[in-house]
Amino acid sequence: MQIFTELTKNPNLSIALGFFDGVHPGHCAVIESAVNYAKINNCKSAVITFKEHPYCFFYGKCPKYILKRKDREYKIKNLGIDYLYELDFESISGLTAYEYLKDVLVKYFSPCAISTGWNHNFGYKKSGNAEFLKNNSKKFGYEYFEIPPKKVNNETISSSLIRKYITEGKIQKANSMLAYKFFTSGVVVKGNQIGRTIGFKTANIVYPTKLIELPHGVYSINTNFGKGIANFGTRPTLNGTNPVLEAHILDFDRDIYGENLQVEFNKMLRPEKKFASLEDLKKQIKKDIEQID
């Protein structure tokens, strides 16, 4: 997959439109629609999206994301897309839906097909939608595919609902909508090394500032080194102030400072709390480990 951050002439593409934060099953269906059409009709496929969410431009503050951009790119690549365009939203923010279709999509990509989700909006004041793309398909010579919503437990899958579940600590509900486990990763850094003094050595990573923030608490996790538990928070028992993600990996005793640690969250076990002593904390950690499936 080739990645572009500027518009380039690249005609006869089957394109998928959307921001695709999370690349959940609804997003996958849109992208797979573009890929499948390209394969059947001997053309190339592309995702046209943005570096940052349009919300950043309109409100001056970006939402917290479900995936880091590199992880979003990786998941899109794995769906078989040939080209990924991550554009600056500001450069097209003033265009009407018709101008965006004619002067961007048609001018640069001459699309043979366009796929979007059922609720996709674009253009100034969200004047473009699925009906608009369908009505203009013959005029500009593309086939249009409107992908219906995907549901889990009678709920429509959406990035906003997934974010809501994550911020509420309802990790299992979020994971069921994502069809994978919410995760983050980072380089292991040195902490205060208190954990090893009570028999629970931890690998610490800095939680990405752009990623949607979990409630401070203890979680059952999987990592690329094994399963375990993690505390995300300020570590009040140790009078900490800055949030950090500390992972205790079961049956693992190797120093991995400087290595990349990926942490998948299975479920929230309990909120973070301050204990009267390190001994009390140690007892609670043992109880937390007993809750791991």
Side-chain angles (χ1 to χ4, degrees), residues 67-291:
L67 287 173
K68 294 188 291 185
R69 191 197 297 178
K70 288 296 181 185
D71 292 324
R72 181 180 68 159
E73 291 171 351
Y74 181 78
K75 286 190 174 291
I76 290 173
K77 176 184 177 181
N78 282 348
L79 292 171
I81 282 287
D82 296 302
Y83 307 109
L84 172 61
Y85 284 82
E86 295 179 308
L87 306 175
D88 285 314
F89 180 76
E90 187 173 1
S91 65
I92 59 91
S93 60
L95 298 179
T96 65
Y98 186 81
E99 288 170 336
Y100 180 61
L101 176 59
K102 175 177 174 289
D103 298 331
V104 177
L105 300 182
V106 173
K107 179 180 178 180
Y108 288 93
F109 307 117
S110 303
C112 53
I114 297 177
S115 299
T116 76
W118 59 281
N119 60 346
H120 182 69
N121 294 105
F122 63 98
Y124 185 66
K125 293 186 177 179
K126 297 183 178 180
S127 52
N129 54 24
E131 184 178 4
F132 174 87
L133 287 169
K134 182 179 179 181
N135 291 341
N136 282 280
S137 60
K138 287 185 179 179
K139 179 175 182 178
F140 291 110
Y142 60 81
E143 290 196 54
Y144 174 63
F145 300 97
E146 177 187 347
I147 308 304
K150 297 285 185 180
K151 294 191 175 185
V152 171
N153 298 324
N154 294 318
E155 288 187 300
T156 298
I157 299 173
S158 71
S159 295
S160 58
L161 189 53
I162 291 167
R163 292 190 194 99
K164 178 177 180 290
Y165 283 145
I166 293 171
T167 58
E168 292 174 350
K170 298 175 181 176
I171 306 303
Q172 290 166 299
K173 283 193 171 185
N175 289 347
S176 69
M177 284 202 161
L178 285 168
Y180 62 85
K181 292 177 179 178
F182 177 65
F183 69 95
T184 187
S185 61
V187 174
V188 177
V189 297
K190 284 200 173 185
N192 54 22
Q193 299 186 323
I194 296 295
R196 66 181 62 205
T197 68
I198 59 173
F200 297 102
K201 186 176 178 180
T202 62
N204 302 350
I205 62 174
V206 176
Y207 196 87
T209 56
K210 288 189 174 183
L211 205 66
I212 191 157
E213 192 166 301
L214 294 159
H216 290 183
V218 176
Y219 296 84
S220 166
I221 61 168
N222 296 330
T223 80
N224 48 322
F225 295 101
K227 66 179 182 179
I229 60 169
N231 185 84
F232 175 63
T234 58
R235 299 162 297 167
T237 304
L238 304 176
N239 298 313
T241 55
N242 297 319
V244 66
L245 181 61
E246 300 176 299
H248 172 66
I249 305 166
L250 301 183
D251 303 316
F252 185 80
D253 194 38
R254 182 163 66 84
D255 281 335
I256 51 175
Y257 295 124
E259 296 189 44
N260 189 73
L261 177 70
Q262 179 165 305
V263 179
E264 295 178 339
F265 298 92
N266 297 321
K267 64 180 179 180
M268 187 176 184
L269 301 178
R270 63 172 174 84
E272 185 178 48
K273 62 176 289 187
K274 184 171 183 175
F275 292 91
S277 67
L278 287 177
E279 186 59 33
D280 288 344
L281 173 60
K282 181 177 179 179
K283 290 177 182 177
Q284 182 59 56
I285 292 174
K286 288 181 179 178
K287 292 179 181 178
D288 295 336
I289 290 173
E290 290 173 359
Q291 294 186 63

Side-chain angles (χ1 to χ4, degrees), residues 47-68:
V47 162
I48 315 298
T49 188
F50 303 103
K51 296 175 187 175
E52 301 288 355
H53 200 287
Y55 188 99
C56 305
F57 176 81
F58 290 119
Y59 300 101
K61 183 180 179 182
C62 291
K64 297 288 188 175
Y65 296 129
I66 299 166
L67 287 173
K68 294 188 291 185

